[in-house]
Amino acid sequence: MSLSSYTLRYYDHEGLMPFVHRNKAGRREFSEHDLDFIDLITCLKGTGMQLSEIRKFVEMSMAGDETLADRLAIFKAQQEAVHDQMAQLQKHLDKLNFKVRYFEAACDAGTEDAVIANCDIPNSPITIDDSKRVKPNKVS
């Protein structure tokens, strides 16, 4: 884990690190448990969880075992949200992969006019109409 001092101060200011102790000089002293918890906070933030939800989770954690079921519910909800994000990202990747194949064909033909493709079906074949080709066909 590598967080900037700015990020740590921000997390602290947002109430995400009430568990971190300070020494007599007011400096934060992190235990191994604190670092693991901050790593979890960073993970949750990386999944798109709002700071208010993370703060709620931290508060529940500080409250102890009586919040176990509620914390589990938070993780299950975030797990579902991440699955949804991954499905959406896969659709975007499929579209990008199609467009890469499309433009490779267009570059090969020297024009988009020669490309025959159905962008509504990302895995569909892409062909070149040789009669519309600007560049000569490559010989394999």
Side-chain angles (χ1 to χ4, degrees):
M1 172 182 59
S2 176
L3 293 177
S4 68
S5 57
Y6 172 81
T7 301
L8 288 171
R9 281 192 299 274
Y10 178 71
Y11 282 1
D12 192 30
H13 176 73
E14 290 296 315
L16 303 180
M17 300 188 328
F19 48 85
V20 175
H21 297 290
R22 292 181 181 260
N23 64 20
K24 290 180 182 180
R27 295 181 185 255
R28 294 173 195 88
E29 292 183 334
F30 299 97
S31 69
E32 197 62 39
H33 180 265
D34 295 343
L35 295 175
D36 288 343
F37 207 102
I38 292 167
D39 186 50
L40 177 58
I41 290 169
T42 302
C43 171
L44 294 173
K45 179 82 172 95
T47 67
M49 185 180 277
Q50 299 295 312
L51 289 180
S52 59
E53 279 293 303
I54 297 172
R55 186 179 315 104
K56 182 177 169 183
F57 168 76
V58 169
E59 289 167 358
M60 285 183 204
S61 297
M62 301 299 290
D65 288 345
E66 65 267 10
T67 65
L68 284 172
D70 292 332
R71 287 183 276 161
L72 174 60
I74 287 174
F75 274 95
K76 284 186 174 183
Q78 194 61 21
Q79 182 182 45
E80 185 61 34
V82 169
H83 281 292
D84 292 346
Q85 291 170 16
M86 289 172 61
Q88 188 60 47
L89 284 172
Q90 186 61 55
K91 287 180 184 177
H92 293 321
L93 181 59
D94 290 346
K95 179 71 116 184
L96 289 171
N97 288 340
F98 173 84
K99 287 299 186 180
V100 165
R101 291 186 305 120
Y102 175 89
F103 283 107
E104 285 175 342
C107 287
D108 182 39
T111 180
E112 285 186 74
D113 290 338
V115 179
I116 303 166
N118 184 349
C119 69
D120 293 328
I121 306 172
N123 293 323
S124 65
I126 295 175
T127 58
I128 296 174
D129 179 345
D130 285 330
S131 68
K132 295 181 181 177
R133 189 182 271 282
V134 174
K135 287 183 175 178
N137 195 358
K138 294 180 190 174
V139 178
S140 301

